[in-house]
Amino acid sequence: MMKKRMILPALVLLLSAACHNGRYKVTEETKTHKDSNVQVLETDQTEKTVENANKSNAGFRNEVEKEVTVTVPCFGVCDSTVLDMLPAPGGATRRDSSIIQRLNAGEIFLLQAGEKGIRELETGSKLFVRFSIGEVWVWKSSVE
């Protein structure tokens, strides 16, 4: 009886040791296979700018906030890359269904002259402004 009790744990120990050694073997084939599945995510320059601004002020607003006013009707968008693809509000026709769909979906906002907002971030020719509708990207030329 005592021999049977000793054989079972010894057998379990032997099998687990054999499985453990086989699991952690790394060969050249597995190294190249792992590298081929790695996806490289490229971040947009705008995302980097927002991230750096968040790191520098740790989420706190500056005491001197700059208020901006919309001077001409313009589009505001949540994604700055979409702003490049939009026509000027005067160039958009009433029959432009893609813009109407985006306006209805809340992806694009039409800002009227005189609306006031607070400038959050500035990159190149675009501004990230907080309006009453939310935070949107607008062209610098559309605000003062």
Side-chain angles (χ1 to χ4, degrees):
M1 183 83 165
M2 188 67 152
K3 288 183 182 180
K4 288 183 180 178
R5 288 185 185 175
M6 295 297 288
I7 292 175
L8 185 60
L11 186 60
V12 170
L13 183 64
L14 182 64
L15 288 174
S16 67
C19 291
H20 178 71
N21 288 338
R23 182 184 301 157
Y24 293 107
K25 286 186 180 177
V26 178
T27 62
E28 286 299 318
E29 182 180 332
T30 57
K31 285 181 183 178
T32 58
H33 183 67
K34 286 180 183 176
D35 292 341
S36 66
N37 290 334
V38 175
Q39 293 179 348
V40 178
L41 300 176
E42 297 180 14
T43 57
D44 186 23
Q45 184 66 29
T46 304
E47 292 173 356
K48 288 180 184 178
T49 307
V50 171
E51 184 178 320
N52 290 337
N54 287 340
K55 284 180 183 177
S56 67
N57 65 10
F60 296 103
R61 304 271 184 227
N62 293 334
E63 293 175 7
V64 181
E65 295 179 336
K66 296 189 178 181
E67 189 174 272
V68 295
T69 306
V70 177
T71 55
V72 294
C74 66
F75 289 118
V77 294
C78 297
D79 184 13
S80 66
T81 57
V82 175
L83 193 60
D84 296 327
M85 295 181 276
L86 292 175
T93 64
R94 293 182 182 186
R95 294 183 182 179
D96 194 349
S97 61
S98 64
I99 292 180
I100 294 170
Q101 288 174 349
R102 287 180 166 181
L103 282 166
N104 290 336
E107 298 173 13
I108 299 174
F109 302 95
L110 184 59
L111 303 170
Q112 298 299 321
E115 289 190 50
K116 295 185 183 289
I118 297 174
R119 183 178 70 183
E120 297 286 334
L121 189 65
E122 184 174 339
T123 60
S125 60
K126 302 173 188 174
L127 289 175
F128 191 57
V129 183
R130 182 178 45 173
F131 289 103
S132 60
I133 59 167
E135 296 175 335
V136 294
W137 288 96
V138 295
W139 293 111
K140 275 186 186 178
S141 59
S142 301
V143 298
E144 62 175 26

